[in-house]
């Protein structure tokens, strides 16, 4: 209940598939109430229950980490004292760089020492909070190994969005069209997935659902048509495509399968700004002065983009060969 609370929160818990749940409240006992631990312990209990009964299972483990307020577990506090944000090439971008960007980005002020100090504190807390996630994943893997099902289990590790820490002068948040916002970690292990390999295919979050259907069937629905007609209809209506063949055989990823040589080379990036007026942002109207503005999301931060990556057909070639671009239209005075 609510969002991204690490202590002093409520949950609705049900059992045996019931839609009716019991509301339970937790407070601020560091040993008992840290919400990511609650999520992990519930998952571990479920893994043990289902594997003991030799039943297949799906666990969707959604930690709040590392969302605001970026609260680490008590044992992780201070582990990264002095940590500083990564100074990527586009960190605290120059005036010349911002002049090439859309209207809203040209408002951004340079990142001053006070803002950077605050960003470093956020970076430290987020990194310390993620130590719990690392610890939980290790516990899940050990539980699967102890149950003898690790080698027959797929694990998909990803995130819902990227994050800004100084790129293009953006000190905070995730609502832009740039790589630091839209590109996320994506790691998969499981049966038939070769270790320590990287696929050059473009995979999107819309691909997860059809891939899970593929994983849950014996041989894969695309090859055998083994699903019921009802499920097959749902799969056909999904926007994404299964990336399981790409994991197993390095084959191309495409929706229609009309031509074996076709692969995805572009995708949509779309966002609707949160402002309610032309000058609105999270706090006030008119907009803050440029000297203290580092976070961009106004009503005219509404855009639709096509991100294009054309690679050489030989996936052993690491560099992009061909087009590497993003084309956007914005809902602002400049259109």
């Amino acid at each position: 209940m609510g969002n991204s609370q690490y202590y002093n929160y409520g949950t609705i818990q049900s059992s045996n598939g019931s839609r009716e749940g019991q509301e339970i409240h937790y407070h601020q006992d560091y040993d008992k109430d840290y919400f990511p631990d609650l999520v992990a312990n519930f998952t571990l209990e479920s893994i043990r229950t289902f594997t003991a009964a030799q039943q297949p299972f799906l666990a969707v483990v959604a930690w709040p980490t590392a969302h605001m307020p970026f609260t680490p577990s008590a044992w992780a506090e201070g582990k990264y004292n002095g940590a500083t944000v990564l100074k990527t090439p586009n960190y605290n971008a120059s005036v010349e760089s911002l002049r090439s960007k859309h209207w809203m980005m040209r408002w951004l002020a340079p990142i001053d020492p006070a803002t950077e100090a605050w960003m470093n504190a956020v970076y430290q807390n987020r990194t310390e909070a993620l130590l719990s996630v690392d610890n939980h994943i290790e516990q899940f893997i050990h539980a699967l190994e102890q149950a003898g099902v690790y080698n027959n289990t797929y694990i998909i590790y990803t995130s819902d969005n990227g994050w800004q820490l100084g790129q293009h002068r953006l000190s905070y948040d995730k609502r832009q069209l740039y790589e630091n916002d839209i590109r996320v970690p994506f790691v998969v292990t499981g049966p038939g997935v070769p270790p320590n390999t990287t696929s050059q295919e473009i995979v999107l979050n819309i691909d997860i659902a059809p891939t899970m259907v593929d994983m849950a069937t014996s041989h894969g629905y695309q090859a055998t048509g083994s699903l019921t007609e009802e499920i097959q209809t749902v799969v056909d209506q999904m926007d994404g495509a299964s990336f399981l063949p790409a994991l197993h055989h390095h084959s191309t990823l495409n929706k229609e399968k009309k031509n074996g040589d076709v692969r995805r080379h572009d995708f949509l990036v779309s966002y609707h700004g949160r402002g309610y007026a032309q000058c609105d942002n999270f706090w006030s109207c008119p907009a803050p002065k440029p000297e203290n503005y580092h976070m961009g999301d106004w009503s005219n931060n509404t855009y639709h983009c096509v991100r294009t990556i054309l690679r050489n057909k030989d996936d052993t070639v690491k560099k992009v060969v061909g087009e590497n671009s993003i084309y956007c239209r914005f809902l602002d005075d400049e259109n």
Side-chain angles (χ1 to χ4, degrees), residues 103-104 107 277-293 295-300:
W103 181 87
M104 194 202 70
W107 277 78
Q278 194 74 2
C279 61
D280 239 357
N281 63 6
F282 286 133
W283 304 281
S284 63
C285 186
K289 298 296 183 182
E291 59 266 21
N292 61 7
Y293 185 60
M295 179 177 173
D297 191 24
W298 301 351
S299 58
N300 49 24

Side-chain angles (χ1 to χ4, degrees), residues 139-167:
Q139 292 177 52
F140 299 159
I141 290 175
H142 286 166
L144 294 169
E145 289 174 336
Q146 290 170 3
V149 299
Y150 174 72
N151 292 329
N152 195 38
T153 302
Y154 287 102
I155 300 174
I156 300 175
Y157 179 87
T158 187
S159 182
D160 54 348
N161 53 263
W163 191 252
Q164 302 154 3
L165 280 172
Q167 291 76 27

Side-chain angles (χ1 to χ4, degrees), residues 132-246:
S132 290
V133 175
D134 290 347
N135 185 39
H136 296 153
I137 292 171
E138 184 177 30
Q139 292 177 52
F140 299 159
I141 290 175
H142 286 166
L144 294 169
E145 289 174 336
Q146 290 170 3
V149 299
Y150 174 72
N151 292 329
N152 195 38
T153 302
Y154 287 102
I155 300 174
I156 300 175
Y157 179 87
T158 187
S159 182
D160 54 348
N161 53 263
W163 191 252
Q164 302 154 3
L165 280 172
Q167 291 76 27
H168 308 295
R169 299 188 180 182
L170 292 159
S171 66
Y172 180 89
D173 213 56
K174 55 192 177 183
R175 303 169 200 273
Q176 300 300 328
L177 52 106
Y178 302 109
E179 294 287 288
N180 46 276
D181 294 54
I182 65 175
R183 189 166 183 166
V184 297
F186 206 95
V187 181
V188 184
T189 67
V193 181
N196 302 318
T197 58
T198 300
S199 172
Q200 298 300 320
E201 300 288 350
I202 298 173
V203 175
L204 309 177
N205 54 11
I206 57 174
D207 299 326
I208 295 175
T211 301
M212 288 169 61
V213 175
D214 214 355
M215 290 172 170
T217 57
S218 318
H219 305 288
Y221 68 87
Q222 292 170 329
T224 66
S226 58
L227 297 184
T228 65
E229 182 177 348
E230 180 181 8
I231 297 178
Q232 184 68 60
T233 299
V234 173
V235 170
D236 290 342
Q237 293 174 347
M238 291 179 177
D239 290 328
S242 172
F243 55 81
L244 188 60

Side-chain angles (χ1 to χ4, degrees), residues 52-124:
Q54 296 186 324
Q55 291 181 308
F57 65 92
L58 166 68
V60 180
V61 190
W63 296 271
T65 318
H67 279 95
M68 190 175 184
F70 326 119
T71 308
S73 179
W75 63 266
E77 290 180 354
K79 293 283 187 179
Y80 286 99
N81 278 339
T84 58
V85 297
L86 304 177
K87 301 293 182 65
T88 58
N90 57 1
Y91 180 84
N92 203 9
S94 65
V95 173
E96 290 74 16
S97 175
L98 293 187
R99 281 174 180 165
S100 69
K101 303 194 181 303
H102 59 287
W103 181 87
M104 194 202 70
M105 293 292 292
R106 299 198 298 270
W107 277 78
L108 297 176
I111 295 174
D112 56 20
T115 302
E116 184 168 301
W118 175 82
M119 290 164 51
N120 288 338
V122 169
Y123 180 68
Q124 175 182 332

